[in-house]
Amino acid sequence: MNADGSNQINLTNNGLNDLRAAWSPDGTKIAFIRLFSSTDRDIYVMNPDGSNQTRLTDDGFQNEYPTWSPDGSKIAFASDRDTSFNVHEIYVMNADGTNVVRLTNASGSDENPNWSPDGSKIAFTAVRDGNREIYVMSADGTNQARLTNHSGLDFWPSWSPDGTKIVFGSDRDGGDIYVINSDGSNLTNITNRHAGGGAPDWEP
């Protein structure tokens, strides 16, 4: 639809649930997931008018949270293909679905990958110590570091356009939106409503 809500166009219409649409950086493609069942979710890409819908994953597992690299050449995503049902790890593949590489290998579930603006790092949500926290790693999976440490649940990290900060949702203190420096310092509650934290994103 247009930015004012007008001219809404249905791009997919197949009787299934299509979710989590993500624009490619150059605006020529949209990635999304299609739910075939609770255990079978696959990543597709299509043109902005809904044409040329192409399936990138087809393995019978949960493939979720597609996010484009800043140069549009790769898509990071989460999948339970090598673990157990609903326990995800972070993967990256070429934008055409080739060359899938596993980036994380942890005891808990890793989800919600989000590329830094320069493409050098990926922030993500992880459940590794019995709680959902925000982590960051290099784009090749090395240098994994934990940014938050709280009994509440932290989720959906998103980098600021200059790459210095990460915004995320949390259910701590009843739920709010927080911002943290990309090195884990200077945690700030920016909503202070204590009424639920969602999936925040930055204005470009």
Side-chain angles (χ1 to χ4, degrees), residues 139-156:
D140 62 0
T142 61
N143 302 312
Q144 296 182 25
R146 180 174 176 171
L147 298 188
T148 64
N149 188 355
H150 193 273
S151 58
L153 305 180
D154 300 330
F155 42 81
W156 289 107

Side-chain angles (χ1 to χ4, degrees), residues 11 27 61 66 145 155 198:
L11 300 184
F61 293 101
F155 42 81

Side-chain angles (χ1 to χ4, degrees), residues 18 32 41-42 44 48 54-55 58 61 71 77 79 84 88 95 100 109 123 133 139 149 157-158 172 180 202-203:
D18 296 330
F32 63 97
R41 304 181 177 194
D42 280 304
Y44 283 70
T54 304
R55 190 173 186 168
D58 187 4
F61 293 101
D71 64 2
F77 64 101
S79 178
S84 58
H88 298 91
V100 177
S109 193
E133 305 287 357
N149 188 355
S158 177
R172 59 176 80 185
I180 195 170
W202 294 83
E203 180 185 23

Side-chain angles (χ1 to χ4, degrees), residues 12-31:
T12 65
N13 186 3
N14 51 64
L16 299 171
N17 286 323
D18 296 330
L19 305 173
R20 300 196 176 104
W23 286 95
S24 63
D26 64 3
T28 63
K29 298 286 184 183
I30 298 173

Side-chain angles (χ1 to χ4, degrees), residues 96-169:
D96 62 1
T98 61
N99 193 30
V100 177
V101 177
R102 182 174 177 174
L103 299 184
T104 65
N105 187 0
S107 57
S109 193
D110 296 337
E111 302 173 343
N112 310 137
N114 188 271
W115 295 83
S116 64
D118 65 1
S120 67
K121 296 181 179 180
I122 296 174
F124 60 100
T125 304
V127 185
R128 298 186 175 182
D129 301 307
N131 198 43
R132 195 174 298 274
E133 305 287 357
I134 305 299
Y135 283 71
V136 68
M137 63 182 169
S138 298
D140 62 0
T142 61
N143 302 312
Q144 296 182 25
R146 180 174 176 171
L147 298 188
T148 64
N149 188 355
H150 193 273
S151 58
L153 305 180
D154 300 330
F155 42 81
W156 289 107
S158 177
W159 292 83
S160 63
D162 65 2
T164 63
K165 298 179 183 297
I166 295 172
V167 66
F168 63 94

